[in-house]
């Protein structure tokens, strides 16, 4: 009977633990870039530097093939189609096929090697987390719900795995943007500057968007932790729940956590859905600027080669493809930084109970065990045991049972 009442007190105090865990999580504001997280993650990536080098080469090759296609198409129409040169047109077609094969091979190498590095990093990180959790004091588990700890080991590690892939993809997108802008300026500086006038508008959209997205992504991470925590505690403690007839109350609490998770993810999805149409609209604006001003330049004679206008139209599509990727990765980057902060915060926690530097290793002991005036507490203001005197004879087994039995 006493154990049942203790169980009820434990269940009732769950919200206090929930609020404490939420307060710890909210210390991280979900910055888009966290230098400490990146530096700590490099230790897990460094052993795979050879594979990462191969990935970078594959990404650069793929990027060059993307940039070269508009130039070849422009050359085919402006030079060979215009002069009825079938032999030259055949060479362009063969070059395009060769580029397609290069794209296939480089993208295959990139994706396969990236999956290998990501999975190996995930393996090492989860093993380190598990080892660390085995060493933490019981006071840690008294203050933190098991479901929230599991959420960090499972969901946050999975989210952090994507960070390495994002870094490589971001570098590829930056190289691609640089190459496209360089070719556009080389072909026609005036038309290139007109086309790039949409970039400040894009930056403004991203600045406004990320202010709201930061809070939404952090809220989503906290919400799924709450769902995992409620699920784990109710399943593992189902005997106590049923013995105290708390099914309806716990269902109501779990429904509240689930509704918060749904609401948080819908909010994040709405923000994500607003961003992509904005980028698409700016893409259309850039294409309209090229067609309008480029057409005027062709009519006036300042742009003698109309195929340049075609190349610019193709470049515009490829120019905004990396930007779309970067905007999508921006949201993923925020989520990964939140997860990274939560993971390394857990790894940095020190056990409150540790061996003395002068501790003697006990190989085999014989005799009795005696406690005199022993006390125990998880926190300084809440004593658990006070002034315990206990005598354990050789061969005797004694257990101290907690509220849930």
């Amino acid at each position: 009977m006493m154990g049942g009442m203790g169980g009820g007190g434990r269940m009732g105090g769950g919200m206090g633990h929930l609020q404490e865990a939420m307060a710890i999580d909210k210390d991280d504001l979900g910055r888009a870039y966290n230098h400490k997280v990146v530096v700590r993650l490099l230790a897990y990536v460094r052993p795979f530097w050879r594979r990462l080098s191969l990935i970078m080469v594959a990404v650069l090759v793929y990027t060059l093939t993307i940039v070269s296609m508009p130039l070849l198409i422009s050359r085919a129409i402006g030079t060979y189609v215009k002069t009825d040169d079938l032999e030259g047109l055949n060479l362009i077609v063969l070059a395009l096929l060769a580029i397609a094969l290069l794209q296939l091979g480089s993208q295959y190498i990139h994706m396969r090697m990236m999956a290998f590095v990501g999975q190996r990093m995930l393996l090492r990180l989860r093993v380190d987390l598990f080892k660390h959790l085995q060493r933490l004091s019981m006071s840690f588990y008294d203050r933190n719900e098991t479901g929230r700890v599991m959420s960090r080991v499972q969901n946050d590690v999975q989210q952090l795995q994507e960070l390495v892939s994002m870094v490589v993809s971001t570098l590829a997108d930056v190289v691609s943007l640089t190459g496209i802008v360089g070719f556009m300026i080389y072909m026609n500086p005036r038309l290139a500057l007109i086309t790039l006038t949409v970039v400040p508008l894009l930056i403004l959209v991203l600045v406004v968007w990320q202010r709201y997205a930061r809070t939404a992504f952090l809220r989503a991470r906290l919400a799924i932790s709450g769902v995992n925590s409620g699920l784990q505690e109710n399943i593992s403690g189902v005997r106590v729940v049923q013995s105290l007839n708390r099914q309806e109350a716990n269902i109501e609490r779990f429904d509240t956590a689930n509704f918060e998770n749904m609401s948080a993810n819908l909010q994040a999805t709405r923000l994500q859905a607003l961003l992509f149409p904005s980028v698409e609209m700016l893409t259309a604006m850039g294409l309209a600027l090229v067609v309008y001003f480029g057409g005027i330049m062709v009519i006036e004679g300042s742009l003698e080669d109309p195929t340049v206008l075609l190349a610019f139209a193709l470049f515009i599509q490829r120019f905004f493809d990396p930007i779309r990727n970067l905007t999508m990765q921006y949201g993923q980057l925020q989520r990964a930084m939140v997860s990274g902060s939560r993971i390394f915060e857990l790894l940095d926690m020190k056990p409150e109970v540790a061996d003395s530097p002068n501790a003697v290793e006990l190989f085999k002991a014989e005799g009795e065990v005696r406690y005199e005036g022993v006390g125990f507490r998880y926190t300084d203001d809440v004593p658990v045991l006070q002034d315990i005197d206990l005598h354990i004879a050789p061969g005797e087994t004694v257990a101290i049972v907690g509220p849930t039995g």
Side-chain angles (χ1 to χ4, degrees):
M1 185 66 178
M2 290 177 63
M5 292 178 67
R10 176 70 176 174
M11 294 298 292
M15 285 303 294
H17 292 287
L18 176 62
Q19 290 169 358
E20 181 180 357
M22 291 283 282
I24 293 172
D25 287 340
K26 287 180 181 178
D27 287 342
D28 192 320
L29 297 178
R31 288 176 288 173
Y33 177 77
N34 190 323
H35 183 67
K36 292 181 180 179
V37 171
V38 174
V39 171
R40 295 282 294 272
L41 190 62
L42 284 176
Y44 290 90
V45 177
R46 194 175 294 116
F48 311 108
W49 66 270
R50 289 185 178 87
R51 292 180 183 270
L52 285 173
S53 300
L54 180 60
I55 290 171
M56 293 309 305
V57 172
V59 167
L60 290 174
V61 170
Y62 181 80
T63 302
L64 289 174
T65 60
I66 292 295
V67 174
S68 63
M69 278 190 172
L71 296 176
L72 287 175
I73 294 173
S74 176
R75 176 73 177 252
I77 296 175
T79 302
Y80 301 118
V81 173
K82 189 176 181 179
T83 58
D84 297 329
D85 188 347
L86 184 59
E87 184 177 351
L89 187 61
N90 289 334
L91 290 176
I92 294 294
V93 171
L94 291 175
L96 289 173
L97 290 175
I99 287 175
L101 290 175
L102 277 176
Q103 284 183 344
L104 175 65
S106 58
Q107 194 169 26
Y108 173 78
I109 293 173
H110 165 220
M111 295 179 68
R112 181 174 178 178
M113 293 296 102
M114 200 69 253
F116 177 87
V117 172
Q119 290 297 323
R120 291 301 297 268
M121 182 198 73
L122 183 147
L123 172 66
R124 291 186 57 199
L125 194 54
R126 279 192 176 141
V127 169
D128 286 352
L129 275 169
F130 184 79
K131 289 179 180 177
H132 184 67
L133 289 171
Q134 299 297 302
R135 301 187 185 102
L136 289 177
S137 305
M138 292 303 299
S139 56
F140 168 81
Y141 295 99
D142 184 67
R143 293 192 303 268
N144 296 275
E145 295 169 325
T146 305
R148 291 186 177 276
V149 176
M150 291 177 64
S151 179
R152 296 202 185 193
V153 177
Q154 294 292 334
N155 300 339
D156 287 330
V157 170
Q158 187 67 42
Q159 190 70 50
L160 195 60
Q161 177 200 358
E162 299 174 3
L163 181 60
V164 179
S165 177
M166 280 189 290
V167 170
V168 175
S169 299
T170 298
L171 182 59
D173 291 331
V174 170
V175 172
S176 179
L177 280 174
T178 304
I180 289 172
V181 171
F183 276 115
M184 289 169 67
I185 293 175
Y186 172 77
M187 295 178 70
N188 193 296
R190 180 183 170 190
L191 193 56
L193 291 175
I194 292 173
T195 305
L196 296 176
T197 54
V198 299
V199 173
L201 291 175
L202 177 63
I203 294 174
L204 179 62
V205 168
L206 288 177
V207 169
V208 173
W209 179 81
Q210 65 89 24
R211 290 179 59 186
Y212 297 95
R214 176 185 303 175
T215 304
F217 293 142
L218 180 58
R219 181 188 172 200
R221 300 306 300 163
L222 295 177
I224 191 61
S225 293
V227 171
N228 290 338
S229 176
L231 185 63
Q232 188 277 332
E233 288 209 343
N234 279 278
I235 291 177
S236 62
V238 67
R239 292 179 178 86
V240 179
V241 172
Q242 292 184 1
S243 67
L244 298 175
N245 196 27
R246 286 190 54 89
Q247 293 95 321
E248 293 300 325
N250 286 7
I251 289 172
E252 184 177 347
R253 288 177 57 192
F254 187 71
D255 185 61
T256 300
N258 250 324
F259 184 82
E260 168 62 17
N261 180 51
M262 180 192 70
S263 176
N265 280 281
L266 285 176
Q267 181 188 13
T269 303
R270 282 194 296 267
L271 288 170
Q272 199 81 12
L274 282 173
L275 181 62
F276 294 142
S278 300
V279 177
E280 292 291 341
M281 182 182 68
L282 292 174
T283 303
M285 288 177 58
L287 189 58
L289 289 173
V290 167
V291 172
Y292 180 74
F293 289 101
I296 291 176
M297 292 168 65
V298 171
I299 293 172
E300 292 177 345
S302 57
L303 184 61
E304 297 180 358
D305 188 0
T307 59
V308 172
L309 191 60
L310 173 63
F312 263 79
L314 295 174
F315 272 132
I316 286 292
Q317 297 296 325
R318 283 160 176 77
F319 176 78
F320 280 96
D321 280 343
I323 290 179
R324 288 190 198 95
N325 295 336
L326 289 172
T327 53
M328 181 174 64
Q329 290 163 4
Y330 186 87
Q332 293 175 342
L333 184 62
Q334 283 191 316
R335 291 192 291 270
M337 288 302 167
V338 171
S339 296
S341 297
R342 286 157 53 91
I343 289 169
F344 293 121
E345 177 192 39
L346 180 57
L347 284 173
D348 289 339
M349 291 181 179
K350 303 296 183 184
E352 296 181 15
V353 178
D355 291 336
S356 170
N358 301 320
V360 178
E361 187 171 356
L362 189 63
F363 293 99
K364 184 178 181 180
E366 295 182 359
E368 64 182 20
V369 177
R370 186 183 298 274
Y371 290 93
E372 295 180 352
V374 174
F376 175 76
R377 62 188 65 192
Y378 290 119
T379 58
D380 293 338
D381 56 341
V382 182
V384 178
L385 301 175
Q386 297 186 55
D387 298 326
I388 297 297
D389 297 326
L390 186 63
H391 176 215
I392 305 175
E396 185 179 7
T397 300
V398 177
I400 301 176
V401 182
T404 61

